[in-house]
Structure formats: C-alpha cells, structure tokens
Short mmCIF file of all heavy atoms in Angstrom, two decimals:
data_model
loop_
_atom_site.label_atom_id
_atom_site.label_comp_id
_atom_site.label_asym_id
_atom_site.label_seq_id
_atom_site.Cartn_x
_atom_site.Cartn_y
_atom_site.Cartn_z
N ALA A 1 85.50 80.13 110.26
CA ALA A 1 86.12 80.18 108.93
C ALA A 1 87.26 79.18 108.82
O ALA A 1 88.20 79.41 108.04
CB ALA A 1 86.62 81.60 108.65
N HIS A 2 87.21 78.09 109.56
CA HIS A 2 88.36 77.17 109.64
C HIS A 2 88.73 76.53 108.28
O HIS A 2 89.84 76.09 108.11
CB HIS A 2 88.11 76.07 110.68
CG HIS A 2 86.98 75.16 110.34
ND1 HIS A 2 85.67 75.49 110.54
CD2 HIS A 2 86.99 73.90 109.83
CE1 HIS A 2 84.90 74.48 110.15
NE2 HIS A 2 85.67 73.52 109.72
N HIS A 3 87.79 76.49 107.35
CA HIS A 3 88.11 75.94 106.03
C HIS A 3 88.87 76.94 105.16
O HIS A 3 89.36 76.56 104.10
CB HIS A 3 86.83 75.50 105.31
CG HIS A 3 86.26 74.23 105.86
ND1 HIS A 3 85.02 73.74 105.46
CD2 HIS A 3 86.75 73.35 106.77
CE1 HIS A 3 84.80 72.62 106.12
NE2 HIS A 3 85.82 72.37 106.90
N PHE A 4 88.94 78.20 105.59
CA PHE A 4 89.53 79.23 104.76
C PHE A 4 90.74 79.93 105.40
O PHE A 4 91.62 80.37 104.69
CB PHE A 4 88.47 80.31 104.42
CG PHE A 4 87.29 79.77 103.70
CD1 PHE A 4 86.15 79.39 104.38
CD2 PHE A 4 87.28 79.64 102.30
CE1 PHE A 4 85.04 78.88 103.74
CE2 PHE A 4 86.17 79.14 101.64
CZ PHE A 4 85.05 78.76 102.35
N ILE A 5 90.73 80.05 106.72
CA ILE A 5 91.66 80.94 107.38
C ILE A 5 93.11 80.58 107.13
O ILE A 5 93.96 81.45 106.93
CB ILE A 5 91.35 81.03 108.90
CG1 ILE A 5 92.28 82.03 109.56
CG2 ILE A 5 91.42 79.68 109.56
CD1 ILE A 5 91.90 82.32 111.00
N TYR A 6 93.46 79.27 107.11
CA TYR A 6 94.84 78.86 106.86
C TYR A 6 95.01 78.23 105.48
O TYR A 6 96.04 77.64 105.20
CB TYR A 6 95.32 77.86 107.93
CG TYR A 6 95.33 78.39 109.34
CD1 TYR A 6 95.16 77.55 110.42
CD2 TYR A 6 95.51 79.75 109.59
CE1 TYR A 6 95.17 78.03 111.74
CE2 TYR A 6 95.51 80.24 110.88
CZ TYR A 6 95.34 79.40 111.93
OH TYR A 6 95.35 79.89 113.24
N ASP A 7 94.03 78.38 104.66
CA ASP A 7 94.06 77.74 103.36
C ASP A 7 94.19 78.71 102.19
O ASP A 7 94.35 78.31 101.05
CB ASP A 7 92.77 76.90 103.16
CG ASP A 7 92.88 75.90 102.02
OD1 ASP A 7 93.76 75.01 102.11
OD2 ASP A 7 92.14 76.00 101.04
N THR A 8 94.13 80.00 102.49
CA THR A 8 94.27 81.02 101.44
C THR A 8 95.32 82.05 101.85
O THR A 8 95.95 81.90 102.88
CB THR A 8 92.92 81.75 101.20
OG1 THR A 8 92.59 82.52 102.36
CG2 THR A 8 91.79 80.75 100.94
N MET A 9 95.49 83.08 101.05
CA MET A 9 96.46 84.15 101.36
C MET A 9 95.83 85.35 102.01
O MET A 9 96.53 86.30 102.37
CB MET A 9 97.12 84.58 100.06
CG MET A 9 96.15 85.13 99.04
SD MET A 9 96.92 86.09 97.73
CE MET A 9 97.39 87.54 98.66
N ASP A 10 94.52 85.31 102.23
CA ASP A 10 93.80 86.51 102.68
C ASP A 10 94.15 86.94 104.09
O ASP A 10 94.10 88.11 104.42
CB ASP A 10 92.29 86.28 102.54
CG ASP A 10 91.89 86.09 101.10
OD1 ASP A 10 91.65 87.10 100.41
OD2 ASP A 10 91.86 84.94 100.63
N LEU A 11 94.53 86.00 104.94
CA LEU A 11 94.91 86.36 106.30
C LEU A 11 96.22 87.13 106.33
O LEU A 11 96.41 88.03 107.14
CB LEU A 11 95.04 85.11 107.16
CG LEU A 11 95.09 85.34 108.68
CD1 LEU A 11 93.73 85.85 109.15
CD2 LEU A 11 95.46 84.08 109.42
N VAL A 12 97.13 86.83 105.40
CA VAL A 12 98.41 87.57 105.33
C VAL A 12 98.15 88.99 104.85
O VAL A 12 98.76 89.96 105.35
CB VAL A 12 99.38 86.83 104.38
CG1 VAL A 12 100.71 87.60 104.30
CG2 VAL A 12 99.63 85.42 104.86
N PHE A 13 97.25 89.15 103.90
CA PHE A 13 96.84 90.49 103.45
C PHE A 13 96.24 91.27 104.63
O PHE A 13 96.58 92.46 104.83
CB PHE A 13 95.85 90.36 102.32
CG PHE A 13 95.22 91.66 101.88
CD1 PHE A 13 96.00 92.66 101.32
CD2 PHE A 13 93.86 91.85 102.00
CE1 PHE A 13 95.43 93.87 100.91
CE2 PHE A 13 93.28 93.07 101.58
CZ PHE A 13 94.06 94.05 101.04
N ALA A 14 95.38 90.62 105.40
CA ALA A 14 94.77 91.28 106.55
C ALA A 14 95.83 91.67 107.57
O ALA A 14 95.75 92.74 108.18
CB ALA A 14 93.74 90.36 107.20
N LEU A 15 96.86 90.81 107.76
CA LEU A 15 97.94 91.13 108.69
C LEU A 15 98.68 92.40 108.26
O LEU A 15 99.01 93.24 109.10
CB LEU A 15 98.91 89.96 108.79
CG LEU A 15 100.21 90.21 109.57
CD1 LEU A 15 99.92 90.65 110.99
CD2 LEU A 15 101.13 89.00 109.53
N ALA A 16 98.96 92.52 106.96
CA ALA A 16 99.64 93.71 106.49
C ALA A 16 98.86 94.98 106.76
O ALA A 16 99.40 96.00 107.18
CB ALA A 16 99.93 93.57 104.99
N ILE A 17 97.52 94.91 106.56
CA ILE A 17 96.69 96.06 106.83
C ILE A 17 96.68 96.39 108.34
O ILE A 17 96.83 97.54 108.73
CB ILE A 17 95.23 95.79 106.35
CG1 ILE A 17 95.19 95.67 104.83
CG2 ILE A 17 94.30 96.93 106.79
CD1 ILE A 17 93.81 95.36 104.28
N VAL A 18 96.50 95.35 109.15
CA VAL A 18 96.46 95.55 110.60
C VAL A 18 97.79 96.11 111.12
O VAL A 18 97.82 96.99 111.96
CB VAL A 18 96.11 94.24 111.32
CG1 VAL A 18 96.27 94.36 112.82
CG2 VAL A 18 94.68 93.83 110.99
N PHE A 19 98.88 95.58 110.61
CA PHE A 19 100.21 96.08 111.01
C PHE A 19 100.36 97.55 110.65
O PHE A 19 100.89 98.35 111.43
CB PHE A 19 101.32 95.25 110.35
CG PHE A 19 102.69 95.74 110.65
CD1 PHE A 19 103.27 95.51 111.90
CD2 PHE A 19 103.45 96.41 109.70
CE1 PHE A 19 104.54 95.98 112.19
CE2 PHE A 19 104.71 96.88 109.97
CZ PHE A 19 105.27 96.65 111.24
N GLY A 20 99.91 97.92 109.46
CA GLY A 20 100.00 99.31 109.04
C GLY A 20 99.15 100.23 109.90
O GLY A 20 99.56 101.38 110.17
N LEU A 21 98.01 99.76 110.37
CA LEU A 21 97.14 100.59 111.20
C LEU A 21 97.62 100.63 112.66
O LEU A 21 97.50 101.65 113.33
CB LEU A 21 95.70 100.04 111.16
CG LEU A 21 94.99 100.11 109.82
CD1 LEU A 21 93.65 99.40 109.88
CD2 LEU A 21 94.77 101.56 109.39
N ALA A 22 98.16 99.51 113.13
CA ALA A 22 98.55 99.42 114.54
C ALA A 22 99.88 100.10 114.82
O ALA A 22 100.11 100.59 115.95
CB ALA A 22 98.63 97.95 114.96
N SER A 23 100.77 100.15 113.83
CA SER A 23 102.12 100.67 114.08
C SER A 23 102.15 102.10 114.60
O SER A 23 102.87 102.39 115.59
CB SER A 23 102.94 100.56 112.79
OG SER A 23 103.19 99.21 112.47
N PRO A 24 101.42 103.06 114.00
CA PRO A 24 101.45 104.42 114.55
C PRO A 24 100.92 104.49 115.99
O PRO A 24 101.24 105.42 116.72
CB PRO A 24 100.54 105.21 113.59
CG PRO A 24 100.53 104.42 112.33
CD PRO A 24 100.60 102.98 112.77
N ILE A 25 100.09 103.52 116.37
CA ILE A 25 99.49 103.52 117.71
C ILE A 25 100.48 102.92 118.72
O ILE A 25 100.62 103.43 119.85
CB ILE A 25 98.19 102.70 117.73
CG1 ILE A 25 97.19 103.28 116.72
CG2 ILE A 25 97.59 102.65 119.12
CD1 ILE A 25 95.98 102.41 116.50
N LEU A 26 101.20 101.87 118.32
CA LEU A 26 102.01 101.11 119.27
C LEU A 26 103.47 101.55 119.32
O LEU A 26 104.11 101.42 120.36
CB LEU A 26 101.94 99.62 118.90
CG LEU A 26 100.55 98.99 118.91
CD1 LEU A 26 100.64 97.53 118.50
CD2 LEU A 26 99.90 99.13 120.28
N PHE A 27 104.01 102.02 118.19
CA PHE A 27 105.43 102.37 118.15
C PHE A 27 105.57 103.89 118.28
O PHE A 27 105.37 104.62 117.32
CB PHE A 27 106.09 101.89 116.86
CG PHE A 27 106.02 100.42 116.67
CD1 PHE A 27 105.16 99.86 115.72
CD2 PHE A 27 106.78 99.56 117.45
CE1 PHE A 27 105.10 98.49 115.55
CE2 PHE A 27 106.72 98.20 117.28
CZ PHE A 27 105.88 97.65 116.34
N GLU A 28 105.89 104.35 119.46
CA GLU A 28 105.98 105.77 119.72
C GLU A 28 107.41 106.30 119.73
O GLU A 28 107.63 107.49 119.87
CB GLU A 28 105.32 106.08 121.06
CG GLU A 28 103.82 105.75 121.08
CD GLU A 28 103.19 106.07 122.41
OE1 GLU A 28 103.94 106.07 123.42
OE2 GLU A 28 101.97 106.30 122.47
N LYS A 29 108.37 105.42 119.59
CA LYS A 29 109.77 105.87 119.60
C LYS A 29 110.06 106.75 118.38
O LYS A 29 109.44 106.60 117.33
CB LYS A 29 110.73 104.68 119.61
CG LYS A 29 110.70 103.87 120.92
CD LYS A 29 111.71 102.78 120.91
CE LYS A 29 111.70 102.01 122.23
NZ LYS A 29 112.71 100.93 122.24
#
C-alpha cells in the first residue's frame, strides 16, 4: 500500500483505534 500509507490520513485514524484497544492491555498502572 506504499502509494496510500503515507499519502492519506487513514493511518492516523488506524493509530487512534489501535491505541485505544492496546492501552487497557499494556497500561496496568
């Protein structure tokens, strides 16, 4: 997907979703 991955905003949206899902798993403090 090299023509799209750094050329649109969709990867940032995906990061927000992944961060939201990963946080309860990784941050236990």
Side-chain angles (χ1 to χ4, degrees):
H2 66 280
H3 285 173
F4 301 93
I5 184 171
Y6 298 152
D7 196 61
T8 67
M9 59 163 290
D10 295 275
L11 195 68
V12 180
F13 173 64
L15 171 59
I17 294 178
V18 171
F19 177 74
L21 295 174
S23 292
I25 302 170
L26 301 179
F27 300 108
E28 296 180 335
K29 292 184 178 180

